[in-house]
Amino acid sequence: MSTTIRDLRSFKERGERFIMLTAYDFPTASILDQAGVPAILVGDSLANNVLGYDTTLPVTMDEMLHHTRAVVRGSRNALIVGDMPFLSYQTSVEDGIRNAGRFLKEGGAHAVKLEGPMLELTEALVERGIPVMGHLGLTPQSVHAMGGYRVQGRTDEDARRLLDDAQALDKTGIFALVLEGVPAPLARKITEAVSSPTIGIGAGPHCDGQVLVLTDLLGLNEGTYPKFAKPYADLRTEITRAVTAFRDDVASGAFPDDAHSYH
Ligand code: KIV
């Protein structure tokens, strides 16, 4: 049975904590889907986690759609959310509607995610039957405006503004809200104040669900991980081990052996 936006709301109503993960390609999407991950986000983190950019800003609509289609082909049951890239929706409501529509029409996604309190656009999308996931707090597309990747909502005034934005977005009809880089007590307050399920990343344990970037979860990245990211595997070491074992076997003549050759 495929996950729908209504299921995420039911999770919240039942107090059932759930997960979302990012995916960017066919094989990982099919692994996540078969593992029962209810929601997959084709994040614009594609830019820095897969395409080698420094930030999420350069990734384009065409790149996002290309990867969204691969993820959709790899999954049968998960709810697929396409992440609208920088400047695909900030320019005008019309651009936002057109590009969100492309995620569903050309990408095969079931919903889109937008950063910031884009109230007019969100309302317009919901009215047109395009489900929207909100995203507040540390919004990476505003990295330069925030002066870096900083936890948001630390002062009383910022916390109040974030709570107001969350409630205003909730009223527009979003089906879920990502809270990123927000102090845990504030994330709890927002979670209790909105009817949409909140999905936290660096927002403490009180959100209705949690999301991680897949490359962080799998330990694929080079160097250190952000405080909020927990690598549940060390695939970078495992891949290095496999690649060097192959190189050594070829150098020594151990591969290909009889079992891996045609006669
Ligand atoms: O692009 C992304 O991976 C995201 C998550 C961090 C929520 O927006």
Side-chain angles (χ1 to χ4, degrees):
M1 181 65 185
S2 304
T3 307
T4 69
I5 60 169
R6 296 163 71 97
D7 293 319
L8 300 200
R9 203 168 274 269
S10 305
F11 290 149
K12 179 173 183 129
E13 284 160 9
R14 293 202 297 267
E16 206 178 303
R17 291 204 181 109
F18 63 95
I19 63 166
M20 177 166 82
L21 279 168
T22 66
Y24 315 98
D25 59 37
F26 175 87
T28 47
S30 87
I31 293 169
L32 301 191
D33 191 73
Q34 284 169 32
V37 174
I40 297 179
L41 171 68
V42 188
D44 64 349
S45 52
L46 168 71
N48 39 353
N49 286 282
V50 173
L51 301 182
Y53 294 117
D54 285 340
T55 69
T56 58
L57 302 189
V59 74
T60 64
M61 269 303 295
D62 286 341
E63 287 167 331
M64 288 301 302
L65 288 175
H66 179 73
H67 287 264
T68 301
R69 284 191 286 266
V71 167
V72 167
R73 287 192 289 268
S75 43
R76 286 176 195 278
N77 296 310
L79 178 80
I80 309 296
V81 183
D83 203 5
M84 295 191 62
F86 182 55
L87 288 195
S88 68
Y89 61 101
Q90 292 93 339
T91 43
S92 69
V93 170
E94 288 69 29
D95 285 350
I97 294 170
R98 192 165 303 111
N99 285 318
R102 290 187 71 195
F103 269 102
L104 272 63
K105 200 175 166 82
E106 299 173 40
H110 306 120
V112 296
K113 176 171 84 58
L114 327 170
E115 293 186 8
M118 307 294 290
L119 304 180
E120 195 188 343
L121 173 59
T122 304
E123 228 159 48
L125 293 174
V126 172
E127 244 174 55
R128 285 160 179 78
I130 301 178
V132 180
M133 176 179 281
H135 184 164
L136 293 176
L138 193 171
T139 45
Q141 291 176 17
S142 305
V143 57
H144 301 306
M146 292 183 300
Y149 296 105
R150 296 170 181 281
V151 172
Q152 301 292 300
R154 282 206 188 276
T155 66
D156 286 353
E157 192 189 337
D158 286 351
R160 180 76 242 166
R161 186 185 38 80
L162 266 180
L163 179 60
D164 288 348
D165 287 347
Q167 288 181 305
L169 262 183
D170 196 41
K171 286 204 186 90
T172 64
I174 54 169
F175 70 91
L177 175 63
V178 169
L179 293 176
E180 178 168 358
V182 170
L186 175 59
R188 175 183 223 158
K189 210 166 170 184
I190 294 173
T191 298
E192 288 167 359
V194 297
S195 60
S196 321
T198 59
I199 308 178
I201 175 163
H206 308 296
C207 295
D208 298 303
Q210 296 288 328
V211 54
L212 279 178
V213 169
L214 191 67
T215 50
D216 287 342
L217 177 99
L218 298 179
L220 269 172
N221 297 335
E222 199 175 1
T224 55
Y225 287 80
K227 178 181 164 77
F228 62 80
K230 178 173 172 185
Y232 280 80
D234 183 5
L235 288 199
R236 195 172 178 91
T237 303
E238 190 54 24
I239 290 171
T240 305
R241 190 203 57 72
V243 169
T244 50
F246 174 52
R247 180 196 61 199
D248 294 348
D249 276 2
V250 169
S252 69
F255 183 88
D257 55 9
D258 258 6
H260 296 94
S261 303
Y262 297 108
H263 296 287

